[in-house]
Amino acid sequence: MSDKPWGGAFEQPTDQLLEKFSESVSFDHQLYAQDIRASIAHAGMLATVGVLSDAERAQIVTGLEAIGEQIAAGEFKFRQSLEDVHMNIERALIDRIGDVGRKLHTGRSRNDQVSTDFRLWIRDQIDSLDSLLANLQRAFVHRTTGDEGVVLPGYTHLQRAQPVLASHYWLAYCEKYQRDRDRLRDCRHRVNQLPLGTAALAGTTIPIDRQQVAEELGFEGIVANSLDSSSDRDFALEFAFVLSQISLHLSGWAEEWILWCTTEFGFLKLPDAFCTGSSIMPQKKNPDGLELIRGKTARVVGNLQSLMMLTKGLPLAYNRDLQEDKERVFDSVETVSACLELAAPMVAGAELQVESIAAGIERGHLDATTLMEHLIGLGVPQRTAHEIIGKLVGSALQQDCTLAELPVEEFQAAHESLGESVYQVLGTKHAIEAFQSVGSTNPSRVAEQVTHWKEKLDR
Ligand code: ARG
């Protein structure tokens, strides 16, 4: 009655509506290479434990490899009636090599097969995302050479706060993406555990050797509990979170640069190759790439939300709901990879508008905190020093001048220990040099960090 591999007990063919509704091959065909790899490892193990003869194993492997080549060449016809990539490949194998192919599914189920394939796929994606992130970090680090010595206003609340070296700014993003790379590496350990051998949910009575399959496929370990692994998608959610975090980092940066490219800021110019125009306003050069990086974050974070909702309230063990996981993860990987690919040349190609930045750098009393710390160094308690310098800032605001432009008498009147020495810490250049703490924007601290990053990323 049924052409389904599972059709034995069925008295009616599947309704067309259900068939179309429940298929996954339209998207999970992306797992074909992993599916074939895992099946080859499984067949090898079945031969080791005596379920297959060597000749049968060889026939299965040759058949699977040929199918893989056919799919890679775009010559394979996936059938919706066979639901998913797993059953399509298995059926093609049986069509090709006959009854021997019917032995491949011994000791496994699609439930552990799909989890194995998906983990293998995610593992590959983690590795390629890691190199995209390293490329982007390199783009940031290279900026430190061209922009050496440039001073930028640093912001909190998007209000001018303290001066920072441009190199310090570039390296801030290196740190963020390094944490993302570290997170990917952590996540990879949990992804890289073999579920195959779980079979449907309880394991199998066939004397399989899971360790052999794990070693063959490069898994670091074996999932211990079959009920757990049949239902587990933590690995996919964790990966989706790391992708969201990368996206959030990209989005904040994109927003910052959109602002920096405005006439109002005038800090940054994107090369024309990375701007788009307006169909009505001839003068426009818009940062659409940055806006889309910011915008696409919505779907990446949305995908994580979807996965969390998907797995909420699922009883043990496998439930078909879990089929909904793949498109969300595929989409996040594709989106984040494209954003990372675009971000690197934008970082490399953007030009800091050093003249206009320098022309405005003394606005906003960025050296006020340094002056306060100078006064603390002269023995004044912090709260008192804060108040005294606050009053001096108030006076500078009233006179519409910088702190360095106030006469020495005013400093002396503000506190007896203030005098000519204030001019050695005032002005953004002096202020930058006055920083001392580890991790600060002090030029020699930053230079150390630049060296550290150059060495780290060269490896
Ligand atoms: N296509 C399914 C998925 O992606 C494979 C597992 C199906 N298992 C089942 N018992 N129907 O989750």
Side-chain angles (χ1 to χ4, degrees):
M1 277 307 293
S2 170
D3 72 332
K4 310 286 189 216
W6 41 253
F10 284 67
E11 292 179 356
Q12 290 182 330
T14 313
D15 189 279
Q16 283 303 296
L17 281 174
L18 178 62
E19 190 165 291
K20 185 157 179 275
F21 183 74
S22 60
E23 68 83 25
S24 57
V25 69
S26 57
F27 52 87
D28 68 18
H29 65 84
Q30 288 187 62
L31 300 176
Y32 85 87
Q34 288 74 17
D35 196 69
I36 285 173
R37 241 186 108 189
S39 285
I40 288 174
H42 184 66
M45 178 277 292
L46 290 178
T48 307
V49 302
V51 172
L52 295 176
S53 71
D54 271 347
E56 288 172 329
R57 182 199 56 85
Q59 256 185 296
I60 288 175
V61 171
T62 314
L64 286 169
E65 282 170 352
I67 293 165
E69 282 161 25
Q70 214 188 339
I71 299 174
E75 284 157 11
F76 188 91
K77 208 176 155 334
F78 285 106
R79 279 149 63 186
Q80 181 180 283
S81 63
L82 290 169
E83 286 187 16
D84 53 28
V85 65
H86 323 293
M87 295 210 303
N88 268 274
I89 290 175
E90 190 193 349
R91 174 63 60 85
L93 181 70
I94 294 165
D95 290 347
R96 204 175 255 270
I97 67 170
D99 267 358
V100 176
R102 301 173 75 88
K103 294 188 175 182
L104 174 62
H105 209 52
T106 309
R108 75 175 189 190
S109 140
R110 276 182 298 151
N111 298 351
D112 53 351
Q113 205 182 342
V114 69
S115 170
T116 304
D117 296 358
F118 201 23
R119 285 168 184 264
L120 285 172
W121 187 87
I122 290 178
R123 201 175 75 182
D124 291 347
Q125 301 307 317
I126 285 177
D127 297 343
S128 87
L129 283 158
D130 185 68
S131 51
L132 287 173
L133 283 164
N135 260 349
L136 179 55
Q137 284 180 308
R138 268 181 220 110
F140 279 113
V141 172
H142 284 154
R143 298 289 324 214
T144 63
T145 307
D147 300 330
E148 204 186 332
V150 174
V151 177
L152 296 171
Y155 294 83
T156 62
H157 315 268
L158 210 52
Q159 302 289 321
R160 286 187 165 219
Q162 291 189 281
V164 292
L165 286 176
S167 295
H168 198 53
Y169 170 82
W170 298 123
L171 294 186
Y173 284 108
C174 276
E175 296 285 348
K176 292 188 192 300
Y177 294 116
Q178 186 58 42
R179 288 195 299 277
D180 292 334
R181 292 179 68 191
D182 294 347
R183 267 185 278 270
L184 280 175
R185 202 185 49 221
D186 289 347
C187 167
R188 197 183 190 282
H189 291 304
R190 281 176 291 277
V191 168
N192 204 20
Q193 305 294 324
L194 177 80
L196 209 62
T198 288
L201 76 164
T204 173
T205 62
I206 312 284
I208 58 170
D209 181 350
R210 297 182 67 202
Q211 195 57 47
Q212 181 184 331
V213 180
E215 278 161 25
E216 176 74 29
L217 294 174
F219 281 102
E220 288 161 50
I222 287 173
V223 178
N225 181 307
S226 63
L227 268 182
D228 168 41
S229 85
S230 174
S231 61
D232 171 31
R233 288 295 180 275
D234 299 8
F235 65 90
L237 268 78
E238 187 177 351
F239 181 46
F241 167 72
V242 181
L243 288 166
S244 299
Q245 182 61 74
I246 297 170
S247 225
L248 294 168
H249 282 152
L250 285 166
S251 189
W253 160 78
E255 164 69 11
E256 185 168 87
W257 274 29
I258 291 165
L259 287 169
W260 282 19
C261 288
T262 57
T263 310
E264 286 71 12
F265 263 86
F267 281 11
L268 197 74
K269 200 170 161 301
L270 289 177
D272 277 1
F274 289 95
C275 290
T276 50
S278 155
S279 54
I280 176 167
M281 297 168 283
Q283 87 285 12
K284 292 299 289 291
K285 288 185 181 175
N286 295 325
D288 293 32
L290 293 169
E291 291 166 80
L292 280 167
I293 287 174
R294 184 180 59 188
K296 282 176 191 289
T297 302
R299 61 201 274 175
V300 178
V301 174
N303 287 334
L304 172 62
Q305 298 290 335
S306 290
L307 289 166
M308 291 196 285
M309 289 307 291
L310 178 68
T311 48
K312 134 189 191 305
L314 284 187
L316 297 181
Y318 177 83
N319 294 279
R320 190 64 176 269
D321 312 45
L322 295 177
Q323 179 171 290
E324 289 285 309
D325 59 355
K326 279 166 286 297
E327 287 165 291
R328 305 280 59 82
V329 176
F330 290 166
D331 182 65
S332 287
V333 168
E334 199 183 316
T335 305
V336 172
S337 302
C339 291
L340 288 171
E341 243 172 301
L342 180 67
M346 289 181 102
V347 169
E351 259 177 75
L352 279 182
Q353 300 299 87
V354 285
E355 278 173 23
S356 85
I357 293 168
I361 197 70
E362 299 304 331
R363 284 208 310 264
H365 308 104
L366 297 165
D367 47 3
T369 309
T370 313
L371 180 61
M372 177 194 73
E373 290 182 342
H374 173 72
L375 189 50
I376 292 170
L378 297 171
V380 177
Q382 192 270 344
R383 289 294 168 216
T384 315
H386 189 288
E387 205 176 308
I388 291 167
I389 306 304
K391 290 205 174 99
L392 286 166
V393 170
S395 164
L397 281 170
Q398 242 168 25
Q399 300 173 56
D400 194 20
C401 70
T402 66
L403 287 167
E405 283 162 354
L406 292 176
V408 70
E409 294 75 30
E410 229 186 297
F411 291 106
Q412 282 161 343
H415 193 275
E416 66 214 4
S417 54
L418 290 177
E420 283 292 343
S421 64
V422 295
Y423 299 108
Q424 284 159 24
V425 298
L426 288 177
T428 47
K429 212 178 146 357
H430 287 149
I432 285 276
E433 276 154 15
F435 284 99
Q436 295 198 34
S437 55
V438 175
S440 74
T441 198
N442 167 281
S444 46
R445 298 275 188 206
V446 174
E448 273 167 34
Q449 287 296 307
V450 169
T451 308
H452 159 79
W453 279 106
K454 282 187 174 160
E455 280 170 8
K456 186 176 168 78
L457 294 168
D458 262 3
R459 263 184 256 135

